[in-house]
Coordinates of all heavy atoms in Angstrom, one line a residue:
E1 N 48.1 11.0 6.1 CA 48.0 9.5 6.3 C 49.1 9.1 7.3 O 50.2 9.5 7.2 CB 48.3 8.8 5.0 CG 47.2 9.0 3.9 CD 47.6 8.3 2.6 OE1 48.7 7.8 2.5 OE2 46.7 8.2 1.7
Y2 N 48.7 8.3 8.3 CA 49.6 7.7 9.2 C 49.4 6.2 9.2 O 48.2 5.7 9.2 CB 49.3 8.2 10.7 CG 49.5 9.7 10.9 CD1 48.4 10.5 10.9 CD2 50.7 10.3 11.1 CE1 48.5 11.9 11.1 CE2 50.9 11.6 11.3 CZ 49.8 12.4 11.3 OH 49.9 13.8 11.5
V3 N 50.4 5.4 9.1 CA 50.4 4.0 9.3 C 51.0 3.6 10.6 O 52.2 4.0 10.8 CB 51.1 3.3 8.1 CG1 51.1 1.8 8.3 CG2 50.4 3.6 6.8
V4 N 50.2 3.0 11.4 CA 50.7 2.6 12.8 C 50.9 1.1 12.8 O 50.0 0.3 12.4 CB 49.6 3.0 13.8 CG1 50.1 2.5 15.2 CG2 49.5 4.5 13.9
A5 N 52.1 0.6 13.2 CA 52.4 -0.8 13.4 C 52.0 -1.1 14.8 O 52.7 -0.7 15.7 CB 53.8 -1.1 13.1
L6 N 51.0 -1.9 15.0 CA 50.5 -2.2 16.4 C 51.5 -3.0 17.2 O 51.7 -2.8 18.4 CB 49.1 -2.9 16.3 CG 48.0 -2.1 15.7 CD1 46.7 -2.9 15.7 CD2 47.7 -0.8 16.5
Q7 N 52.2 -3.9 16.5 CA 53.1 -4.7 17.2 C 54.3 -3.9 17.7 O 55.0 -4.3 18.7 CB 53.6 -5.9 16.4 CG 54.5 -5.6 15.2 CD 53.7 -5.1 14.0 OE1 52.4 -4.9 14.0 NE2 54.4 -4.8 12.9
D8 N 54.6 -2.8 17.0 CA 55.7 -2.0 17.4 C 55.3 -0.8 18.2 O 56.1 0.0 18.7 CB 56.5 -1.5 16.2 CG 57.1 -2.6 15.3 OD1 57.5 -3.6 16.0 OD2 57.1 -2.5 14.1
D9 N 54.0 -0.6 18.3 CA 53.4 0.6 19.0 C 54.0 1.9 18.5 O 54.4 2.8 19.2 CB 53.7 0.4 20.5 CG 52.8 1.4 21.4 OD1 51.7 1.6 21.0 OD2 53.3 1.9 22.4
A10 N 54.1 2.0 17.1 CA 54.8 3.1 16.5 C 54.2 3.5 15.2 O 53.6 2.7 14.5 CB 56.3 2.8 16.4
I11 N 54.4 4.8 14.8 CA 54.1 5.2 13.5 C 55.2 4.8 12.5 O 56.4 5.2 12.8 CB 53.9 6.8 13.4 CG1 52.7 7.2 14.4 CG2 53.7 7.3 12.0 CD1 52.6 8.7 14.6
V12 N 54.9 4.1 11.5 CA 55.9 3.7 10.5 C 55.9 4.4 9.2 O 56.8 4.2 8.4 CB 55.9 2.1 10.4 CG1 56.2 1.4 11.7 CG2 54.5 1.7 9.8
D13 N 54.8 5.1 9.0 CA 54.8 5.9 7.7 C 53.9 7.1 7.9 O 52.9 7.1 8.7 CB 54.2 5.0 6.6 CG 54.4 5.6 5.2 OD1 55.2 6.5 5.1 OD2 53.7 5.2 4.2
E14 N 54.2 8.2 7.3 CA 53.5 9.5 7.4 C 53.5 10.2 6.1 O 54.6 10.4 5.5 CB 54.1 10.3 8.6 CG 53.4 11.6 8.8 CD 54.0 12.4 10.0 OE1 54.6 11.7 10.8 OE2 53.8 13.6 10.1
R15 N 52.4 10.7 5.6 CA 52.3 11.4 4.3 C 51.2 12.3 4.3 O 50.0 11.9 4.6 CB 52.2 10.4 3.2 CG 52.3 11.0 1.8 CD 52.0 9.9 0.7 NE 50.6 9.6 0.6 CZ 49.8 10.1 -0.4 NH1 50.3 11.0 -1.2 NH2 48.5 9.7 -0.4
V16 N 51.4 13.6 3.9 CA 50.3 14.5 3.7 C 49.6 14.2 2.4 O 50.2 14.0 1.4 CB 50.9 16.0 3.7 CG1 49.8 17.0 3.4 CG2 51.5 16.3 5.0
V17 N 48.3 14.2 2.4 CA 47.5 14.0 1.2 C 47.5 15.3 0.4 O 47.1 16.4 0.8 CB 46.0 13.7 1.6 CG1 45.2 13.5 0.3 CG2 46.0 12.4 2.4
P18 N 48.1 15.2 -0.8 CA 48.3 16.5 -1.6 C 47.1 16.9 -2.3 O 46.9 16.7 -3.5 CB 49.4 16.0 -2.6 CG 49.2 14.6 -2.8 CD 48.6 14.0 -1.5
S19 N 46.2 17.6 -1.6 CA 44.9 18.1 -2.2 C 45.0 19.4 -2.9 O 44.0 19.8 -3.5 CB 43.9 18.2 -1.1 OG 44.3 19.2 -0.1
D20 N 46.2 20.0 -2.9 CA 46.3 21.3 -3.6 C 47.2 21.2 -4.9 O 47.6 22.3 -5.4 CB 46.8 22.4 -2.7 CG 48.1 22.0 -2.0 OD1 48.6 20.9 -2.2 OD2 48.7 22.9 -1.4
T21 N 47.6 20.0 -5.3 CA 48.4 19.9 -6.5 C 47.6 18.9 -7.4 O 47.0 18.0 -6.9 CB 49.8 19.3 -6.2 OG1 49.7 18.1 -5.4 CG2 50.6 20.3 -5.3
F22 N 47.7 19.1 -8.7 CA 47.0 18.4 -9.7 C 47.4 16.9 -9.6 O 48.6 16.6 -9.4 CB 47.3 18.9 -11.1 CG 46.4 18.3 -12.2 CD1 45.2 18.8 -12.4 CD2 46.9 17.2 -12.9 CE1 44.4 18.3 -13.4 CE2 46.0 16.7 -13.9 CZ 44.8 17.2 -14.1
P23 N 46.5 15.9 -9.6 CA 45.0 16.1 -9.9 C 44.2 16.2 -8.6 O 43.0 15.8 -8.7 CB 44.7 14.8 -10.7 CG 45.6 13.8 -10.1 CD 46.9 14.5 -9.7
Y24 N 44.7 16.7 -7.6 CA 44.0 17.0 -6.4 C 43.4 15.7 -5.7 O 44.0 14.7 -5.7 CB 42.9 18.0 -6.6 CG 43.3 19.1 -7.6 CD1 42.8 19.2 -8.9 CD2 44.3 20.0 -7.2 CE1 43.2 20.2 -9.7 CE2 44.7 21.0 -8.0 CZ 44.2 21.1 -9.3 OH 44.6 22.1 -10.2
G25 N 42.2 15.8 -5.1 CA 41.6 14.7 -4.4 C 41.5 15.0 -2.9 O 42.4 15.6 -2.3

């Protein structure tokens, strides 16, 4: 997951989706 702030032209958050740890998804 990346959250981009358009007014700042920048990535403000980054997180790997944990699909290999319970409860998956």
Side-chain angles (χ1 to χ4, degrees):
E1 294 179 350
Y2 299 99
V3 176
V4 176
L6 296 178
Q7 69 279 4
D8 299 326
D9 197 35
I11 298 170
V12 293
D13 196 15
E14 179 176 340
R15 184 184 79 97
V16 174
V17 179
S19 62
D20 58 351
T21 56
F22 190 83
Y24 318 111

